[in-house]
Each structure stands twice: as structure tokens, then as C-alpha cells.
Amino acid sequence: MERSEGKTSLLCLFLFTYCLQCRCDIPVVQNWPSSVTLPENIPIGTVMFNFTVKSDIFDEDISINTQDSTTFGVVNINQNRGNNVFAQVISKTELDRDGYGIPGKTTSILKFVVIDLRGNTLNLLTTLKLIDVNDNTPQLENTPYQWSISEYSKNGNETFRRIKATDLDEGINGNDGIVFKMEPIVEPESLVLEYLSTFSIDSSTGVIRQKRALDYEEHSVYHFNISATDQKGNGRTSESTILTITVIDVQDTPPVFTSGSYKALVRNDAEIGTHVITVHALDGDTGYRPMNAIGYYISPGGCSEVFTINDQGGINTRLHIDQNTDAFESACELDVVAQEVLYDANQQYGPIKTKATVYVMLRSKESQDEFDRCSSDSPKVVGTLLVTLLIGIQRFI
Ligand SMILES: [Ca+2]
Ligand SMILES: [Ca+2]
Ligand SMILES: [Ca+2]
Ligand SMILES: [Ca+2]
């Protein structure tokens, strides 16, 4: 019984001595921060924090290392060797919370390990908190911008909602502070005012709004510079991009004759079917495809009964011309109408007819022959003049 109690006492003494010795061997860390708060833009090489590690063992050699890849990626440790260590944790890369340092993280855990020669290890953790600074510029997305809008959108309520921008910074330095701007790419000042009276941008949302009626025939395309600025922060401005607004043509314009008026001569004894003149018109909606075909007719009245017009605008005599007839004396006027044909009535928003006047004058056989002769001579005269002019130029050179 006494021998058993003696063994127990010896075992307790051994364990007490061992534990006491182990506790004394373990290095002691001082001034270790539980968290560190720094601006994200500290320069590389900045001392982030200091601490000390001490051991009672005189010949101890304490080393401090990073414990994971994240910590290894952002800090270096500067320390002396021995049993009384002073250590500095120093940044070795940009900490940029928004970019590539510790991407997207406001807080990170930094992990270290203290090792001594006896194999004691101490794991140390601290929380790194990064304070945001305005170091990012708004970036416009899905650029450049294209908006096609029908000229029939006349009520001014059309909107374009594809303009977006992102700023990685926080709060008003980031998305909350973005102000959108649009500037006309046009001269002169009168057109700038027209641009600005036609479209506007919501500076907070980037939504473009049509403010007034459009007219393809007046203005078929608009160009604006679009930019985004974190104006409520420090005013970093994105690279600008172009918004092109294309007005889509609709059928709202009548045909247009290629000449304001026509003048024609006809012999006073012309036979039936004699060609007088050809008129030509095109649909005024030049951006509409396919273009509407054009037909022609002569409005009743005047000498309209004397002439006829075909699908190509060719006007010929329908009756034998007699200068003594009541319908046609020395001159008359024809009202020729160009009209869009085979059009889609559901897509028609304006007039489809235009009138032009053709002035027809009688010419005697003798004067007609003289006119024909001069006409056939003209190229020769021009040719002669041209040759003379070229010779003159050659001599001058
Ligand atoms: Ca920013
Ligand atoms: Ca930032
Ligand atoms: Ca039109
Ligand atoms: Ca038309």
C-alpha cells in the first residue's frame, strides 16, 4: 500500500516538472494585433504592424513564417534571429481591395506560425481590414451604343436603357456616385442645340429619352459622346464612348420630281404618238425599303386631252396637234401627278401624291428644223472649243 502511494507521488512530481518545463520553453508573443486596419493603397514596403517573440532558452532560435498562400502573397517578414525576436510585417504587393492584391475583399485573415528549435509551434492569426479609397474609374459596359428609333415615334416617350457603368469602389466612390453625361458630336452650335432638344439623359440612371418628334427627312442620324463619372466621389471619369441614334424612315413623304418644273417644245403639226418630254419622280421616303414604286397621270383640264403619259413618265401626243385647235394654242400647261403605287396602306402615314407643271409650247416645222440642226451641231462646237482650250493649255505649259 505504501509502495503504491510512493509511485503515484513520483509520477505526479514528474508530470508537474515536465509541464512546468514545457510551459517555460514555449516562446511568448507580445504586441500581437488581433486586427489591422489600413488604406488599400499603402505603398509596397509599408510596415503593416510589429510584434515580438521571446523565449527563456538562451540559445533558442525563433523563426516566424507565413502559414498560407494568401499571407505569403501579400507580406514579407523582417526579423532578427535568436531568442528575443523583433518582427515587422511588411507589404510586398498592392493590397487593392478591388483588384488583384486581395481581390474583392474588405477583410482577410493573415496567418503566421512561430517555430523554435525544440519544435514548439504557435499559430498566429490577425484580421486585415482594408479601407476603400477612390482608385477605380467607372467603366462603361456593352460599348459602343446603337439605338434605332422610328421617326413615327412622335410622342417623345421612347427610351434607351442599355447604358450601364460599373465602378468597383464603395458607395459614392463607386456605383452610387456615377453621373452619366451625353455630349453632341456635331457642329455648329445650332445643331448642338437641336441635338440637346431632341434627346436627354438621366444623369443618375443613364437612360436616354426622346424629347420631341423625329423626322428622318430632316435628320436621320445623331452621334453623342457618352461618359460616366464618379462625380459624387473624387470625379474619376470613364473613357467616353459613342452613342449612335439612327432614325428609321417610315412612309410619310410624297414623291419628289427631279425638276421643279418642265418645259417642252412640240411641233405645231405633230402626229399622234409624238414624244414630247419625260418627267421623273422618286419617293421622298428615301430610306424606306423597298422603295414605293411611282405611277403618273395627267390631271384633267387645260390641254390634258391632247397628251398622254406612260408608267415611265413619258409624255406623248394623244391627238394630232393643230395650232388652230381650241385645246392647244401657242402654249399650254399640263398638271402631271406622281403617285406612289402598290404601297402598304397600313404603313402609310402621309401624302402619296405630288404635282408638277409641264409648260408645252408649239414650234413651227421651220423653227423645229433649225432647233434640231443646232442641237446636232452643238457637240461639234463644244468639241472644237475643247480642242482649242487643250491646245491653249498645252502651249501655256
Ligand atoms: Ca471610383
Ligand atoms: Ca477602391
Ligand atoms: Ca419618311
Ligand atoms: Ca412616301
Side-chain angles (χ1 to χ4, degrees):
M1 187 67 179
E2 289 180 358
R3 288 185 62 183
S4 174
E5 288 177 351
K7 286 182 178 177
T8 303
S9 299
L10 284 172
L11 180 61
C12 289
L13 179 62
F14 172 76
L15 289 174
F16 175 77
T17 306
Y18 176 80
C19 293
L20 189 64
Q21 187 172 353
C22 283
R23 201 176 301 131
C24 291
D25 285 351
I26 296 174
V28 176
V29 178
Q30 294 179 327
N31 301 323
W32 178 259
S34 60
S35 68
V36 178
T37 301
L38 295 166
E40 64 171 318
N41 64 341
I42 60 169
I44 296 173
T46 298
V47 177
M48 299 166 67
F49 62 92
N50 304 315
F51 64 99
T52 58
V53 184
K54 295 180 180 177
S55 170
D56 290 339
I57 308 302
F58 177 73
D59 59 351
E60 187 55 88
D61 185 16
I62 298 170
S63 63
I64 304 164
N65 298 303
T66 56
Q67 203 177 12
D68 64 354
S69 58
T70 298
T71 311
F72 177 78
V74 296
V75 301
N76 283 322
I77 300 168
N78 183 21
Q79 68 160 102
N80 59 302
R81 305 305 297 249
N83 68 331
N84 189 0
V85 170
F86 176 75
Q88 294 178 315
V89 175
I90 299 170
S91 64
K92 73 174 182 184
T93 183
E94 294 180 7
L95 298 182
D96 185 11
R97 63 177 285 282
D98 318 306
Y100 55 87
I102 308 177
K105 290 188 177 180
T106 302
T107 62
S108 301
I109 303 297
L110 299 183
K111 299 179 179 179
F112 302 84
V113 60
V114 175
I115 304 173
D116 66 13
L117 292 177
R118 287 157 182 75
N120 292 313
T121 60
L122 289 173
N123 294 323
L124 303 174
L125 306 178
T126 189
T127 302
L128 174 62
K129 299 179 181 177
L130 294 177
I131 302 170
D132 183 43
V133 297
N134 192 1
D135 57 353
N136 286 282
T137 301
Q139 300 294 316
L140 288 164
E141 301 171 6
N142 307 315
T143 59
Y145 300 113
Q146 306 269 352
W147 184 18
S148 297
I149 179 170
S150 169
E151 68 168 324
Y152 190 63
S153 306
K154 295 185 183 299
N155 55 10
N157 286 329
E158 298 297 317
T159 55
F160 180 70
R161 298 174 179 272
R162 290 193 56 238
I163 295 177
K164 304 286 182 192
T166 299
D167 187 325
L168 295 174
D169 298 320
E170 279 187 340
I172 60 170
N173 287 338
N175 292 338
D176 295 348
I178 291 179
V179 172
F180 293 94
K181 292 179 182 175
M182 64 187 295
E183 296 172 313
I185 308 175
V186 70
E187 292 179 346
E189 187 66 21
S190 58
L191 280 179
V192 171
L193 296 177
E194 182 198 325
Y195 269 49
L196 295 177
S197 66
T198 308
F199 297 99
S200 65
I201 190 168
D202 184 314
S203 61
S204 297
T205 64
V207 173
I208 307 278
R209 186 174 298 280
Q210 174 202 354
K211 296 170 66 179
R212 67 179 182 91
L214 302 175
D215 185 350
Y216 175 89
E217 284 70 35
E218 175 193 336
H219 211 138
S220 61
V221 66
Y222 299 80
H223 296 291
F224 288 94
N225 247 333
I226 303 292
S227 64
T229 303
D230 59 356
Q231 189 166 305
K232 298 171 190 170
N234 290 347
R236 288 173 173 262
T237 302
S238 69
E239 285 188 17
S240 63
T241 190
I242 291 179
L243 164 65
T244 302
I245 301 176
T246 304
V247 181
I248 301 171
D249 195 11
V250 301
Q251 277 293 348
D252 61 351
T253 307
V256 177
F257 279 95
T258 53
S259 177
S261 64
Y262 296 88
K263 294 178 181 175
L265 298 173
V266 60
R267 273 177 49 170
N268 57 8
D269 60 348
E271 297 296 330
I272 295 174
T274 300
H275 179 65
V276 177
I277 195 170
T278 297
V279 298
H280 189 56
L282 290 171
D283 187 8
D285 297 300
T286 55
Y288 190 88
R289 294 292 182 275
M291 291 189 76
N292 280 354
I294 306 295
Y296 303 91
Y297 66 86
I298 298 172
S299 291
C303 57
S304 62
E305 294 180 358
V306 182
F307 300 96
T308 184
I309 189 167
N310 60 28
D311 291 343
Q312 288 72 45
I315 297 175
N316 297 320
T317 55
R318 193 173 71 86
L319 302 174
H320 172 68
I321 300 293
D322 181 345
Q323 61 180 329
N324 298 318
T325 61
D326 291 337
F328 196 113
E329 297 182 349
S330 60
C332 79
E333 293 181 6
L334 286 177
D335 285 339
V336 177
V337 177
Q339 175 180 343
E340 296 170 44
V341 296
L342 302 176
Y343 58 86
D344 183 350
N346 294 324
Q347 300 296 321
Q348 199 68 44
Y349 303 102
I352 60 171
K353 297 179 182 179
T354 301
K355 187 182 76 172
T357 300
V358 178
Y359 299 94
V360 184
M361 287 168 282
L362 277 184
R363 182 182 290 271
S364 67
K365 179 179 185 305
E366 293 72 21
S367 60
Q368 181 69 42
D369 290 344
E370 178 66 15
F371 177 80
D372 292 343
R373 188 184 65 78
C374 290
S375 297
S376 62
D377 284 348
S378 294
K380 296 177 185 173
V381 173
V382 171
T384 304
L385 286 173
L386 183 61
V387 169
T388 306
L389 183 61
L390 287 173
I391 292 172
I393 292 172
Q394 199 170 23
R395 286 175 180 166
F396 180 77
I397 291 171

